Amino acid sequence: HCGSSDDPPIVPPRAFLPVPAAPSGMATKPVKSLEAEEQRLHRIRITLTSRNVKSLEKVCSDLISGAREKELHVAGPVRLPTRHLRLCIRKSPNGEGTNTFDRWEMRIHKRLIDLHSPSDVVKQITSISIEPGVEVEVTIADV
């Protein structure tokens, strides 16, 4: 009963079928221009630091909205832990009196934004008006 004509033909699994070649009429991109395209794309990290949260968040949202308008891949803002710089200082100018202290504190807030874009586009994005008291640091790494 093995070789009867009623049985469907044996078809090999899909993994073993030969892959059809691309038609000769199709336009294929040259490899060199593709590599040049990858070289122009950079992984850019923008680090924002400030003592004022409102101005920091405003600059963050401005940068991200500018990057989204240019249809870039944006990751962030990543909110890093706030640094509390504390000083405990004796109130009395001389050694007399009760031991009272002033506790001063400066909080430093930090945000990270990652972009995948050409470096000339980043210059356009970061040229926005940056609030006073916000430090911007841009580091560029090749993808």
Side-chain angles (χ1 to χ4, degrees):
H1 189 88
C2 282
S4 69
S5 60
D6 313 353
D7 292 341
I10 298 172
V11 179
R14 191 142 183 88
F16 297 110
L17 290 176
V19 178
S24 60
M26 272 180 85
T28 56
K29 283 188 178 179
V31 178
K32 290 179 185 175
S33 69
L34 224 151
E35 288 175 4
E37 190 75 27
E38 288 177 359
Q39 286 175 353
R40 288 194 312 119
L41 265 181
H42 296 292
R43 193 175 67 235
I44 291 145
R45 175 164 282 178
I46 302 173
T47 309
L48 303 166
T49 55
S50 175
R51 293 180 299 187
N52 188 355
V53 181
K54 268 190 180 176
S55 59
L56 183 68
E57 288 292 334
K58 184 181 182 306
V59 172
C60 260
S61 60
D62 289 349
L63 280 173
I64 289 171
S65 62
R68 294 240 166 92
E69 282 173 14
K70 301 216 183 320
E71 297 178 1
L72 300 177
H73 178 265
V74 182
V78 178
R79 292 166 177 86
L80 296 178
T82 306
R83 291 182 62 199
H84 300 272
L85 305 180
R86 292 191 175 98
L87 284 175
C88 291
I89 296 171
R90 183 89 185 267
K91 278 186 183 179
S92 134
N94 57 359
E96 287 184 25
T98 54
N99 298 340
T100 54
F101 288 87
D102 274 331
R103 292 190 293 276
W104 300 99
E105 180 177 86
M106 182 166 70
R107 294 179 178 190
I108 297 175
H109 308 275
K110 199 169 189 178
R111 304 283 184 268
L112 285 182
I113 300 172
D114 283 333
L115 304 171
H116 290 282
S117 71
S119 53
D120 57 326
V121 175
V122 174
K123 289 175 188 165
Q124 296 170 6
I125 295 169
T126 54
S127 65
I128 60 159
S129 61
I130 291 167
E131 300 265 322
V134 178
E135 281 187 40
V136 179
E137 187 181 317
V138 179
T139 54
I140 298 174
D142 291 327
V143 175

